Amino acid sequence: KFRLVVESAPDAIFIQINGKFSYLNPSACNLFGITSQEQLLGSSVIDRFHPDFRDIVKKRINNLNEDHISVELIEEVMLTFDNTPVDVEVSAVPFFYQNSHGALVFLRDITDRKKAISAMQESEQALSAMINSITEPAFLINTNGLVITANDTMAEWIGLSGKEEIIGKN
């Protein structure tokens, strides 16, 4: 029953033993860009993470394998089989598999979320620049009535020394 749940999970799940891949579900194979788990079985888990994250991955593997401590959800960058970077959220729990201590690891591709956040930030910057270019008092509020951005003219108009004093206020 456990295997059926893991095999049908939409998120990537793999098992690592001694820092090596011991099992990958179909979603993990898809995320890593492989057609069969045999392409990664026995290879180093650390090698599938961007070099900027390898030190933290080593520490997390040690916490899982040696200390048997779960590791919290963090954002990392993994590498597909052809070394394409992918933004992921990673969490893991200690797991006993094939008579060895290791970890059950969960990966979620957050590429689309990161792109959406970046696009939203760019849009907010463009909107803020537009508000700042208006010579009349101007401000923008969110659906909760909080000021997102305002120009200096607006701040002066209501008697404040700068727009920073109005941003975040109702």
Side-chain angles (χ1 to χ4, degrees):
K1 288 180 182 179
F2 178 75
R3 188 176 191 100
L4 178 63
V5 168
V6 170
E7 298 253 330
S8 61
D11 286 335
I13 299 172
F14 69 83
I15 297 172
Q16 75 69 26
I17 303 293
N18 296 320
K20 301 197 180 303
F21 289 100
S22 294
Y23 167 82
L24 294 96
N25 76 346
S27 293
C29 291
N30 186 48
L31 184 60
F32 283 106
I34 57 177
T35 56
S36 168
Q37 70 171 335
E38 282 72 25
Q39 291 173 269
L40 283 178
L41 288 180
S43 67
S44 171
V45 169
I46 292 170
D47 291 346
R48 291 292 100 216
F49 284 87
H50 190 277
D52 292 349
F53 293 91
R54 289 185 181 160
D55 286 341
I56 189 124
V57 171
K58 285 178 191 176
K59 288 177 189 170
R60 288 166 63 93
I61 287 174
N62 187 63
N63 286 342
L64 290 156
N65 293 0
E66 304 300 322
D67 302 329
H68 313 295
I69 300 171
S70 297
V71 294
E72 61 189 34
L73 181 73
I74 64 170
E75 291 185 12
E76 296 176 327
V77 177
M78 55 146 278
L79 301 172
T80 63
F81 198 63
D82 68 0
N83 291 322
T84 301
V86 178
D87 291 311
V88 291
E89 285 180 335
V90 183
S91 63
V93 294
F95 197 72
F96 193 74
Y97 182 72
Q98 296 179 344
N99 298 317
S100 297
H101 289 281
L104 185 63
V105 182
F106 306 90
L107 298 168
R108 176 170 288 153
D109 184 342
I110 58 170
T111 303
D112 291 340
R113 181 190 328 161
K114 297 272 264 196
K115 285 180 184 175
I117 288 169
S118 179
M120 184 177 67
Q121 288 170 339
E122 288 176 18
S123 177
E124 286 175 356
Q125 288 170 354
L127 193 53
S128 185
M130 182 183 76
I131 295 286
N132 286 330
S133 70
I134 299 171
T135 57
E136 296 295 318
F139 64 99
L140 181 67
I141 60 171
N142 65 16
T143 56
N144 295 326
L146 299 178
V147 176
I148 298 170
T149 189
N151 62 12
D152 286 326
T153 308
M154 180 68 189
E156 291 170 16
W157 189 62
I158 60 174
L160 301 173
S161 60
K163 64 184 177 185
E164 294 77 21
E165 293 183 56
I166 193 173
I167 295 174
K169 301 284 194 299
N170 193 322

